[in-house]
Amino acid sequence: MSDPGLDNHRADRLQFEAWPPDLLAWFDGSNLAGKTGFTASLVTRQTDGRLGTSLLGIGELYAPDARTLRLALWRGARSARSLASGTPAALTFVFDGAFFQVQLDAAQMASREAEAAGLACFEAAIAAGEAQRVPYARLESGIVFTLDESGREATLRRWAEQVEWLRQG
């Protein structure tokens, strides 16, 4: 016999292989200033076998369609080297009260403009995605940041350029 109290603690899971419409709209490259603070954690396996994390803002992510995510990473970042070598990745974030984990298979994209700015761009296919919610609590945020006012406009300009490079694919 199951304990009815345990049913209140079970997570609701949504599995997907394509972005739900609200996330596709979130990653559309528009209104970057209104989406600042959003942070995603990109987890990759490093050359020594350990896991590493890069934190990405909204200006480093762009979804050209429902099954794809493009990423702009600093060329020297461990995660960029891992993705360039074909290592799968997991992107995790909080959105609309749920915890998302998306498994990605990425390949490097050519972009002269991004490379000149010290970036490496990648196009990733969604291998599998999952969103989790629990009935007794709502996630309000994951890792959140605030842009420093002295560099806010420069960061937003850089993000707009990066998203444009990702759009060009």
Side-chain angles (χ1 to χ4, degrees):
M1 179 188 250
S2 69
D3 180 348
L6 290 178
D7 289 337
N8 292 334
H9 296 285
R10 293 204 175 132
D12 292 326
R13 286 187 173 85
L14 165 68
Q15 295 183 334
F16 58 91
E17 293 179 0
W19 292 118
D22 53 344
L23 274 174
L24 183 59
W26 184 255
F27 293 128
D28 70 358
S30 69
N31 188 26
L32 297 175
K35 298 174 184 175
T36 62
F38 173 85
T39 308
S41 173
L42 180 68
V43 180
T44 57
R45 188 181 68 241
Q46 308 304 307
T47 55
D48 64 2
R50 295 184 182 266
L51 299 177
T53 301
S54 289
L55 299 178
L56 305 177
I58 195 65
E60 296 158 319
L61 304 164
Y62 170 69
D65 59 58
R67 299 186 65 88
T68 309
L69 183 67
R70 293 180 180 165
L71 306 96
L73 306 173
W74 293 109
R75 188 174 46 236
R78 292 175 299 176
S79 292
R81 290 192 302 270
S82 293
L83 290 180
S85 72
T87 299
L91 189 75
T92 63
F93 55 89
V94 172
F95 182 81
D96 192 28
F99 175 76
F100 283 80
Q101 180 172 301
V102 184
Q103 303 294 321
L104 301 170
D105 294 319
Q108 195 158 2
M109 298 170 30
S111 170
R112 286 187 207 153
E113 297 91 346
E115 290 169 13
L119 299 171
C121 294
F122 298 88
E123 182 167 282
I126 297 174
E130 182 176 275
Q132 297 180 37
R133 286 186 169 82
V134 293
Y136 57 87
R138 177 180 168 84
L139 287 172
E140 294 296 328
S141 67
I143 300 167
V144 179
F145 68 90
T146 302
L147 291 175
D148 181 59
E149 283 303 316
S150 66
R152 179 179 171 81
E153 292 307 314
T155 299
L156 289 172
R157 280 192 303 276
R158 178 173 52 84
W159 279 1
E161 285 180 323
Q162 289 173 189
V163 167
E164 187 55 38
W165 301 329
L166 294 172
R167 277 190 175 119
Q168 294 171 8

